[in-house]
Amino acid sequence: MPELPEVETIKKSLKKKLLAQKVKSTEVRTSKLRWLLQENLASKINNQIILDVIRKGKVLCIKLSDGFLLIHLGMTGKVLIKSHNYTPLKHDHVIFRLYDISLVYNDPRRFGYIEWAKDIDKSHPRFYHKGPDPFDDEFTLQYLTSKLKKSKAEVKLCLMNDKILTGIGNIYANELLFRARMSPVKRSHPLSNAEILNIFENTRPLLEEAISLGGSTLRDYVDSNGEKGSFQDYHRVYNRHGKPCVICGTEIEKIVIAGRSTFFCPVCQGAGAGAGDGNN
């Protein structure tokens, strides 16, 4: 599933091509995605001018002259820029034809969604229960400390809980905890202030690095131009079980937490490691 760096990369590539474009027509080839498409989707979007492209957590929000087009990629969704003479493929479910290009939503597993919304503030049902984005001003050390100190869940699950923090999924939770020298099975509420500080100070740098490399392509993810990311080449623990730790050489281990594959170094992320220097 595309996480924050991947969606941010797509946002940036879309923004270069979509601003000031007019939606001339909307072709719905499949209406049943995660939820049924709104019956009036085309009438809400057609003849609208694209003013901006925004990311809220893992949701792309295309700002129109009236309202927003929300696109969530689910597990296998792609938003691709194509020419008007493009021949649709089997899993191309919605095609937005603009002035000189087409915007194609492709999703083999159909777990994403598309909808029109008047506003995208906290009153919207897709966003009212979400925690802050790691790049929001609301995401502070004080905020993170208050949330982690109240939870008895494993710290990895807290980082992936979008009611606490929006945008971090399994890949980046694994990578963040390695940089913070934190065991993924450690409970959140007894964490020391130094341990929480280490998580906080590594969050944005990790995500910024991943964004600079176009995100992580493991299977399906590409940006709107069809380009793969390369941050997977720099993963330190994710999907590296059985390989040597890049810091100490110990074999990376794999366990399952709440049904999600979890990767860690038993030495660098062992007992007492959480207050170490995450930049080593």
Side-chain angles (χ1 to χ4, degrees):
M1 178 182 292
E3 300 179 26
L4 186 157
E6 290 76 51
V7 180
E8 178 68 16
T9 299
I10 294 170
K11 183 207 82 174
K12 288 183 174 183
S13 62
L14 289 176
K15 199 166 184 175
K16 292 177 181 178
K17 299 286 183 69
L18 299 190
L19 297 191
Q21 289 270 357
K22 183 177 183 179
V23 183
K24 297 177 68 176
S25 65
T26 301
E27 178 184 355
V28 176
R29 298 168 56 83
T30 307
S31 61
K32 188 177 181 181
L33 300 177
R34 186 190 303 186
W35 300 292
L36 279 174
L37 293 179
Q38 297 154 317
E39 291 184 3
N40 63 348
L41 179 68
S43 64
K44 288 289 189 181
I45 294 170
N46 291 350
N47 299 312
Q48 297 290 318
I49 304 298
I50 297 174
L51 304 178
D52 201 358
V53 184
I54 301 164
R55 178 189 58 77
K56 287 181 72 68
K58 300 177 187 177
V59 182
L60 288 164
C61 304
I62 299 176
K63 184 178 182 181
L64 306 170
S65 44
D66 180 27
F68 295 82
L69 176 64
L70 308 185
I71 303 177
H72 191 290
L73 301 174
M75 299 183 71
T76 58
K78 304 181 187 71
V79 180
L80 302 169
I81 294 174
K82 298 291 184 180
S83 65
H84 283 326
N85 61 6
Y86 166 77
T87 301
L89 301 176
K90 177 180 179 181
H91 299 297
D92 292 343
H93 303 309
V94 184
I95 301 176
F96 305 97
R97 291 186 174 86
L98 311 180
Y99 178 72
D100 57 359
I101 57 176
S102 293
L103 190 64
V104 179
Y105 180 77
N106 176 287
D107 189 355
R109 297 188 67 176
R110 294 190 297 178
F111 198 63
Y113 66 79
I114 295 176
E115 65 183 37
W116 179 87
K118 182 64 176 178
D119 294 298
I120 56 172
D121 58 21
K122 281 285 189 179
S123 66
H124 192 282
R126 302 283 179 244
F127 304 114
Y128 76 89
H129 65 288
K130 303 288 188 181
D133 188 282
F135 292 101
D136 287 348
D137 292 340
E138 186 183 345
F139 179 60
T140 63
L141 177 59
Q142 182 179 8
Y143 170 84
L144 183 63
T145 300
S146 69
K147 292 298 183 180
L148 294 182
K149 291 284 191 180
K150 292 177 182 177
S151 175
K152 294 183 179 180
E154 292 92 340
V155 62
K156 182 185 177 224
L157 295 184
C158 287
L159 295 174
M160 294 176 61
N161 183 347
D162 63 8
K163 293 181 180 180
I164 295 176
L165 191 60
T166 303
I168 295 182
N170 197 34
I171 294 173
Y172 297 101
N174 278 279
E175 292 296 310
L176 175 54
L177 289 172
F178 177 81
R179 294 190 180 208
R181 302 296 186 265
M182 178 74 60
S183 169
V185 300
K186 201 163 189 175
R187 299 287 172 173
S188 293
H189 67 279
L191 292 177
S192 69
N193 290 337
E195 288 172 324
I196 296 174
L197 175 63
N198 211 26
I199 294 172
F200 178 79
E201 289 185 336
N202 278 280
T203 300
R204 286 176 180 164
L206 166 66
L207 298 173
E208 287 168 347
E209 182 182 343
I211 292 167
S212 72
L213 292 169
S216 300
T217 295
L218 302 179
R219 297 186 188 90
D220 305 293
Y221 161 72
V222 292
D223 69 12
S224 64
N225 298 309
E227 299 291 331
K228 296 180 179 180
S230 61
F231 188 65
Q232 68 277 2
D233 297 332
Y234 299 89
H235 288 173
R236 300 183 186 181
V237 289
Y238 187 82
N239 214 26
R240 295 191 70 249
H241 57 288
K243 296 180 180 179
C245 173
V246 296
I247 301 297
C248 71
T250 303
E251 191 173 286
I252 299 298
E253 295 185 4
K254 175 183 176 181
I255 58 174
V256 176
I257 299 177
R260 306 303 300 273
S261 296
T262 302
F263 306 88
F264 66 100
C265 172
V267 173
C268 292
Q269 296 171 259
D277 181 2
N279 297 313
N280 286 340

